[in-house]
C-alpha cells in the first residue's frame, strides 16, 4: 500500500521505516530539511537501536523515501500524521501549531477516499474538530496513538503491546478502519490486541497511559521521601509492593524521576485539559504528580550538598549520565542535566559524561563541561553521581577499579541502580534517594 508519513521525528521516522519493512511503499515528509537529508541518506538523525538497519533496507528495496515536498503525498491511501506536540511556552498546554500546519499543508493533496491517521499525542477533543474539516473532502480521520518508548522504538512499533484505533461511528469511519487494518495486517496477524473505539477514547488512551506511568514513578518518589524520614528502604519497598501483580514492579524505581519528550509534557497537557474541562481536582492531582517529580531532582541536589558538608562551592563533582534515560541520546528535560545545572549554579565544578548523549548535551548545555571519556570525568572528582541508569554505569563499573581511577570515595546513586553493598564493601561511602 502507498502510505505517507507527515512529521519524521522520533515517532514518524521509526513509523515510516517500520511500515516500509512490512512491505509498504512509504514517503516520509518533514519541514526540517536537515532531518530529511539525513533520513534520505539512510542515516538515523538520532540514536535509536535498529533504526539504521531499517533505513538502509528501506532505501535498498526502494520502498522508503523522504522529502520536504508535501505534494509527494499524492496517491497515498493513508497519511499518517506524526508531528510533535510540545509543551507551549509559558503554559502547561500542548502546542498544536505543527499539527494544524500539517493538516493545512496536507489538505490540498488529499483525495476522496484517503484516510488520515493521527498518531501524534493530542489533547482529548482535538481530533473531532479536524475530522469535520476532512470529512467535507471525502477524507476520513482516525486516531491511532503510538506507545513507543525511546530506545525501544523499533521493537515497540514492530511488536506493539496493543493497537488502539479511534474512529467516528460513520460509514466512512468504518471504511477507514478497514483500510488501516489492511496496512497493519502483518502486525495484527501476530495477535496484537486491537482496541477499536471512538476518537476521544483513542486520544485519551495515550495521555492517560503516560500520566499513569508518571504517577507510578512519582508514587515511588513520594515513598522515597517517607523512607528517608523513617529509615525504610525504598528499593526493597518497591520489591515488596511489586510482587502484587495488580501493582507490578515496573516503573516503581525511585530516584531523580522522569524526564524526556513525553511523560512530563503529556502529564502537564492533561492537567491543562482537565482545567479547561473544569475538572479542577483532577488537574490538582496531576500537578502534584509533576511537583513530586521535579522535587526528586532538588532532593538529590540536597543530598549532594549534605554529603559535601553543607556547600558545593568549588567542589569537583563527576556526573555519570546526561540522557533522560539509558539507550537514548535524548536530553530533553533530562533530570541528570538539570541536577548538573543546579549544582553548577551553586558553585560546583561539574564534569558530565554519557555513552550516547555528549553531543546533544553540549548543544543544549554549553555552560556545562561535558567529556567523552568516563576516566576524564572521574579524573580529580571529589564525589561521583550516577544520574542515568546506563548498564555501562550500573553493571560495568567495578567499585575497586573506579577507586583506582579517582580520588573520590563517595558515590551518590540518583537512580538506585547500583548494587549498594558492593560499593560499600569496597570501601565507598554510598548515598541514594530513599535508602
Ligand atoms: C514514555 C512511555 O513509556 C511510552 O509508552 C510513551 O509512548 C512515550 O513516553 P519514554 O519517554 O521513551 O516513553 O520513556 P520511559 O522509558 O517511560 O521513561 C521515562 C522517564 O522515567 C525516564 O526519565 C526514566 O529514567 C524515568 N523512570 C522510569 C523512572 O524514574 N523510574 C522508573 O521506574 C521508570
Amino acid at each position: 500500500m502507498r502510505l505517507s508519513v507527515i512529521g519524521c521525528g522520533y515517532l514518524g521516522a521509526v513509523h515510516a521505516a517500520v511500515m516500509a519493512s512490512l512491505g509498504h511503499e512509504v514517503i516520509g515528509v518533514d519541514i526540517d530539511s536537515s532531518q530529511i537529508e539525513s533520513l534520505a541518506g539512510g542515516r538515523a538523525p538520532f540514536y535509536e537501536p535498529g533504526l539504521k538497519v531499517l533505513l538502509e533496507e528501506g532505501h535498498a528495496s526502494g520502498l522508503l523515501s523522504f522529502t520536504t515536498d508535501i505534494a509527494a503525498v499524492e496517491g497515498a491511501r493513508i497519511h499518517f500524521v506524526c508531528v510533535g506536540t510540545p509543551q507551549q511556552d509559558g503554559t502547561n498546554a500542548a502546542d498544536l501549531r505543527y499539527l494544524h500546519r500539517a493538516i493545512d499543508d496536507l489538505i490540498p493533496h488529499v483525495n476522496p477516499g484517503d484516510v488520515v491517521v493521527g498518531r501524534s499525542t493530542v489533547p482529548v477533543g482535538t481530533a473531532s474538530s479536524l475530522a469535520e474539516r476532512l470529512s467535507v473532502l471525502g477524507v476520513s480521520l482516525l486516531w491511532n496513538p503510538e506507545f513507543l518508548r525511546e530506545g525501544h522504538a523499533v521493537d515497540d512499533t514492530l511488536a506493539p503491546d496493543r493497537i488502539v484505533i479511534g474512529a467516528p461511528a460513520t460509514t466512512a469511519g468504518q471504511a477507514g478502519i478497514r483500510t488501516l487494518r489492511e496496512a497493519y495486517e502483518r502486525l495484527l496477524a501476530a495477535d496484537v490486541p486491537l482496541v477499536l473505539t471512538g476518537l476521544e477514547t483513542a486520544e485519551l488512551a495515550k495521555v492517560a497511559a503516560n500520566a499513569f506511568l508518571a504517577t507510578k514513578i512519582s508514587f515511588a518518589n513520594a515513598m522515597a521521601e517517607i523512607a528517608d524520614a523513617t529509615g525504610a528502604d525504598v528499593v526493597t519497598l518497591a520489591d515488596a509492593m511489586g510482587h502484587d501483580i495488580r501493582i507490578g514492579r515496573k516503573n516503581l524505581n525511585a530516584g531523580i524521576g522522569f524526564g524526556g519528550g513525553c511523560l512530563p509534557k503529556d502529564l502537564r497537557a492533561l492537567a491543562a485539559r482537565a482545567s479547561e474541562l473544569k475538572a479542577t481536582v483532577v488537574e490538582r492531582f496531576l500537578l502534584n504528580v509533576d511537583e513530586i517529580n521535579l522535587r526528586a531532582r532538588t532532593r538529590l541536589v540536597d543530598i549532594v550538598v549534605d554529603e559535601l558538608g553543607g556547600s558545593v562551592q568549588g567542589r569537583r563533582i563527576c556526573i555519570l549520565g546526561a540522557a533522560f534515560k539509558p539507550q537514548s541520546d535524548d536530553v530533553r528535560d533530562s533530570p541528570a542535566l538539570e541536577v548538573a545545572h543546579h549544582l553548577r549554579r551553586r558553585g560546583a565544578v561539574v564534569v558530565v559524561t554519557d555513552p550516547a548523549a555528549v553531543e546533544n548535551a553540549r548543544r543544549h548545555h554549553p555552560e556545562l563541561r561535558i567529556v567523552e571519556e568516563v576516566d576524564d570525568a572521574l579524573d580529580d572528582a571529589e564525589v561521583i553521581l550516577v544520574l542515568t541508569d546506563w548498564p555501562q554505569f550500573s553493571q560495568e563499573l567495578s567499585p575497586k577499579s573506579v577507586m583506582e581511577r579517582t580520588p573520590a570515595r563517595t558515590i551518590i546513586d540518583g537512580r538506585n541502580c547500583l548494587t549498594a553493598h558492593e560499593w560499600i564493601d569496597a570501601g565507598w561511602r554510598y548515598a541514594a534517594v530513599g535508602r
Side-chain angles (χ1 to χ4, degrees), residues 147-148 150 210 217 251-253 257-259 262 324-325 415:
F147 299 97
L148 55 87
E150 287 182 25
N210 271 359
I217 298 168
N251 270 46
L252 268 188
N253 295 323
F258 57 83
C262 289
F324 85 101
K325 68 174 208 178
R415 291 289 180 185

Side-chain angles (χ1 to χ4, degrees), residues 34-173:
S34 67
Q35 184 97 344
I36 287 298
E37 200 178 303
S38 164
L39 289 165
R43 294 181 304 277
F46 42 81
Y47 177 91
E48 190 57 60
L51 179 58
K52 191 170 178 295
V53 175
L54 285 191
L55 289 173
E56 285 164 359
E57 286 172 2
H59 287 296
S61 66
L63 289 174
L64 182 62
S65 53
F66 292 94
T67 178
T68 52
D69 179 12
I70 187 77
V73 307
E74 296 260 6
R77 275 179 71 195
I78 302 179
H79 308 278
F80 290 99
V81 178
C82 298
V83 294
T85 52
Q87 185 176 343
Q88 228 174 56
D89 276 345
T91 81
N92 277 333
D95 182 349
L96 298 181
R97 89 176 87 155
Y98 304 107
L99 176 68
H100 290 301
R101 177 171 171 180
I103 298 293
D104 291 344
D105 290 350
L106 182 60
I107 277 177
H109 304 286
V110 290
N111 295 300
D114 285 4
V115 183
V116 173
V117 175
R119 302 219 76 203
S120 305
T121 304
V122 292
V124 55
T126 307
S128 65
S129 65
L130 299 176
E132 282 171 31
R133 286 185 68 192
L134 291 163
S135 75
V136 295
L137 304 167
V139 172
S140 54
L141 177 76
L142 310 184
W143 218 262
N144 167 223
E146 54 75 28
F147 299 97
L148 55 87
R149 295 160 301 163
E150 287 182 25
H152 304 269
V154 170
D155 290 344
D156 286 353
T157 310
L158 269 170
D161 45 19
R162 78 282 212 192
I163 292 179
V164 176
I165 303 177
T170 58
T171 316

Side-chain angles (χ1 to χ4, degrees), residues 8 23 48 98 158 174 196 218 275 361 374:
C8 293
E48 190 57 60
Y98 304 107
L158 269 170
Q174 298 314 299
L196 293 175
S218 279
S275 162
V374 172

Side-chain angles (χ1 to χ4, degrees), residues 306-307 384 403 409-412 423-424 427-431:
D306 278 354
E307 286 295 327
I384 300 169
M403 215 169 231
R409 292 295 175 263
T410 301
I411 188 147
I412 301 178
W423 290 83
I424 295 165
W428 286 85
R429 183 170 163 75
Y430 172 92

